[in-house]
Amino acid sequence: MKKLINKPEDVVKEALAGMAVAHPDLIRVDIEQQIIIRKDAPIQGKVGVISGGGSGHEPMHGGFVGAGMLDAACPGAVFTSPVPDQMLAATKAVNGGVGVLHIVKNYTGDVLNFEMAAELADAEGIKVESVVTNDDVAVQDSLYTAGRRGVGVTVLLEKIVGGLAETKAPLEQVAELARKVNKQGRSMGMALTPCTVPAAGKPTFELGEDEMEIGIGIHGEPGRRRVKLASAAEITEMLATPIIEDLGLKAGDQVLAFVNGMGGTPLIELYIVFDALQRILNGKNIAIARSLVGNYITSLEMAGCSITLLRLDEELFRYWDAPVHTPALRWGR
Amino acid sequence: MKKLINKPEDVVKEALAGMAVAHPDLIRVDIEQQIIIRKDAPIQGKVGVISGGGSGHEPMHGGFVGAGMLDAACPGAVFTSPVPDQMLAATKAVNGGVGVLHIVKNYTGDVLNFEMAAELADAEGIKVESVVTNDDVAVQDSLYTAGRRGVGVTVLLEKIVGGLAETKAPLEQVAELARKVNKQGRSMGMALTPCTVPAAGKPTFELGEDEMEIGIGIHGEPGRRRVKLASAAEITEMLATPIIEDLGLKAGDQVLAFVNGMGGTPLIELYIVFDALQRILNGKNIAIARSLVGNYITSLEMAGCSITLLRLDEELFRYWDAPVHTPALRWGR
């Protein structure tokens, strides 16, 4: 196992300590409880927006904490759900008196623990709404999931919903927009290589030298099929077609096109995939109105990519374009 | 070779085509000539700032083109210098009538070709100043270099000098600041794994399962020594100590600490290295006043990292903090 780490059991806490010193202008970090909090939280009269999940997907979610996106994130151990106490502490830390939104990717552990955290928060008088993302068209049910998995749309949703929450919109409206974004976006991913969880010390699965896995999950869960290596154009077609069909995209639609790296793929390759994707969309007269290219929801050092398409409308444009100031996404005033 | 590409010979042009569609608000791209140009260039009365070098180090340099940083970048083939004609075309495209600065990393091919481009520009009446970066403390002379190699400081220099150029400062002042930044910064890198140039189809060098290379160059050039794997804390010490000594950093100094990923290393590991680095600097009472953590000057999918420290003063703070709007670095209004 070749990794820049010290002891496997210290990976998450040391990374959090590094984040705290790297971004003191944006966030504060409770290393003991494993919570990353927006520096100026809680903000009175603003809905708190939090998310969380296993570590190993950086920058998601901790890198998305800051003005205009998340108020807090609670990372678990690598590829392991955070615990309800941690989620409750994050909920309390960002409670500005008007409720808190929980953004939950559809993995059984995350869903159960966030449900318990919401009940605990309710018992303490904090109103919580939960939205579960399930945008992965690859498979129905999976290793850690009943139903579709939550993947790339989560990144876009956290940005857009964070933009609305910043306007001090009420909790119901923030939750409603979150459900809408989840409904208007779909994703699919693939892997060229596996990844190694530090505590395990060996790859989560194996892939032959001439093989790739289409429809892979972000923890290496099995996808649709294992096939021979193909060109970037062919791979992009295999990912984009099911997304376009499932979303029912048609000529004249405007989308946000998101090409995401799994962690070990160089940026130059992601732009090649983006080029292949724009050719496909162009051919169908679907307009790329916004884009995101880079490593945003990763699987440690896995080589591969995922594609997410999000159908845009006026409301989504407005909150996607709104200012954001986080370690990993930053624009606007 | 497991890569998201089509034909190896199309890698650079397809990636450029992807960039053009992904960032139409920031840049325009001449795919044929392989030049990425700031959307609103040339700007009358503003010094044009350009750089270039082999591809495979993305986001450097093309990802740094935009307001507040580079006016143009000319990428060569992977790990291959761009040609003088390309550099001349970029120079002409950004000439706002008051001269152009060439930022050149110290590799023999880049240096010779930029020298020729400067002569060609001069013959066409465009005043050019050239600044060569040579911040890598690992080795004196190397596979492609006489003297020290230009690495991480180049990223910081392009941001800071771009900030000054935006104020319409004269060419001599812009070039002087570039030389100062180069002088106040040092870097050193390491690799856990090699990388594969698409046209070659096999790794540029080999590393045993329990080995790493300390002092590696960004094209896989040999470093100081090949040693057994060590912990993140030990590796950080091996990189930081020569930098601190060479720069003569002392208690009370303020630095920008830059932990850079080589392309295949997950962000969580870079934050662990950042944490180790802040412990070392803390122990010497050297203050981290600014920071940058992520993949900015890469070597395709190489796993590993580099550390750059830049001594800050009032002038460097001002232009580091100034607004920047490029595909890879973005903040401020």
Side-chain angles (χ1 to χ4, degrees), chain A residues 100-129:
Chain A
V100 175
L101 179 73
H102 288 181
I103 300 172
V104 187
K105 299 190 303 303
N106 191 31
Y107 298 96
T108 305
D110 291 358
V111 171
L112 291 176
N113 289 351
F114 265 110
E115 272 174 12
M116 189 171 299
E119 283 172 25
L120 294 168
D122 184 66
E124 300 203 23
I126 302 173
K127 200 174 162 190
V128 170
E129 285 264 6

Side-chain angles (χ1 to χ4, degrees), chain A residues 52-54 57 60 81 104-113 132-133 135-136 142-146 148-152 154 217-219 221 297:
Chain A
H57 307 300
M60 186 185 80
S81 176
V104 187
K105 299 190 303 303
N106 191 31
Y107 298 96
T108 305
D110 291 358
V111 171
L112 291 176
N113 289 351
V132 176
T133 60
D135 54 301
D136 188 340
S142 183
L143 200 53
Y144 308 113
T145 314
R148 287 178 167 185
R149 300 174 297 219
V151 288
T154 317
I218 56 172
H219 313 91
E221 308 96 305
I297 167 172

